[in-house]
Amino acid sequence: QTKRTPNSIMLAVATLGLTPRAAPGIPRAAQPTMKAVESPVRPDRNGRIALAVLASAGAVETATITSDKLGIFGGSGSVVEKLCSSAGGGGGCGDVLNSPWADVGGVPLALFGAVAYSAVALLAAAPLLGVGAPSGDEEEDVLANALVFGSGALAAFSSCLMVLLLVVIKQSCILCFGSAALSLSIFAVAWRTLLVDRPSDRAILAGTGALISLAAAVTLYFATPPPPPASTLAKSPATAAWVDQVAATCAKGPSGDE
């Protein structure tokens, strides 16, 4: 007859689903115990929380800029200028956010940014809140793919706006720099969180989003007429008076008559 050990007894009891009792002659504290089965922690939980927080911050910033441009806070640009000045950015934010490229068909560009940030925040937080399919289902894979795609699109479009800001507009905007930092951080976290297992799939999704954003940014740039060049002559009262005098002399003509 086979000799049964306490461990083999516990294994048999666990297999049958019975409640284990103390083995005779062995203290209960020395016997193996059966731990309650804990629900597994999502491996992407921390990354999704970080993505939701970053995207929510971007949504709040762009929504504030949109509301200010639409005059919801009273005067157009007043809140943006105060925020920019308090952050040490000088007065460049107003010039940048009132440039011809700050609107698309009369709609503030910041509004599209608020929608994009909000979408990323919802995609990141939905599985954590129990919205959508359980982990591993095909529907959640679609949400993860959309999150990687969106992070690549945000990072690319923000990079294009930084090029426009530094090369074309040539103004400093602390709010614009902050939004770009948020977008690039979202992309970095989304990539490291391994929402999509294969690096090649992640690269394809993020690259596709980046190419679409690049095409949208280039279209926006060439479809928007540039502002008229600012006169470099009328920068002081004396120069302005001289320009007016020359204009008046030219208007009279050679004979002195208008």
Side-chain angles (χ1 to χ4, degrees):
Q1 184 177 2
T2 305
K3 183 178 180 181
R4 296 180 178 272
T5 63
N7 286 336
S8 63
I9 294 174
M10 292 300 298
L11 178 60
V13 169
T15 304
L16 296 175
L18 302 177
T19 303
R21 297 182 179 179
I26 301 178
R28 180 175 292 273
Q31 298 184 45
T33 57
M34 298 175 62
K35 296 183 179 180
V37 178
E38 299 179 356
S39 58
V41 178
R42 295 181 60 100
D44 59 352
R45 181 176 181 273
N46 292 336
R48 284 184 174 273
I49 292 175
L51 287 172
V53 170
L54 291 171
S56 298
V60 170
E61 181 197 18
T62 49
T64 301
I65 295 174
T66 301
S67 301
D68 193 38
K69 283 184 66 67
L70 295 177
I72 296 178
F73 297 135
S76 178
S78 58
V79 174
V80 168
E81 287 294 345
K82 291 179 181 178
L83 289 175
C84 195
S85 299
S86 62
C93 292
D95 297 334
V96 173
L97 298 175
N98 290 319
S99 67
W101 297 282
D103 296 278
V104 180
V107 179
L109 185 62
L111 178 60
F112 295 96
V115 172
Y117 279 122
S118 299
V120 170
L122 291 175
L123 288 172
L128 302 179
L129 300 176
V131 179
S135 177
D137 282 5
E138 182 178 353
E139 183 178 344
E140 185 168 326
D141 292 339
V142 173
L143 296 179
N145 293 343
L147 188 53
V148 175
F149 175 90
S151 66
L154 272 177
F157 198 83
S158 293
S159 300
C160 292
L161 291 181
M162 287 298 98
V163 173
L164 179 68
L165 176 68
L166 298 175
V167 176
V168 179
I169 302 177
K170 297 180 181 180
Q171 288 284 353
S172 176
C173 175
I174 192 67
L175 296 180
C176 304
F177 294 147
S179 182
L182 287 173
S183 298
L184 294 175
S185 299
I186 288 172
F187 172 72
V189 174
W191 184 272
R192 292 180 59 85
T193 302
L194 304 181
L195 298 168
V196 179
D197 293 334
R198 297 174 58 182
S200 58
D201 292 341
R202 273 179 279 157
I204 291 174
L205 289 167
T208 303
L211 288 176
I212 293 176
S213 281
L214 179 61
V218 172
T219 302
L220 173 65
Y221 175 77
F222 287 104
T224 303
S231 175
T232 58
L233 295 177
K235 288 187 176 181
S236 66
T239 303
W242 179 80
V243 170
D244 293 338
Q245 183 179 1
V246 171
T249 303
C250 294
K252 292 180 180 180
S255 61
D257 299 329
E258 293 187 3

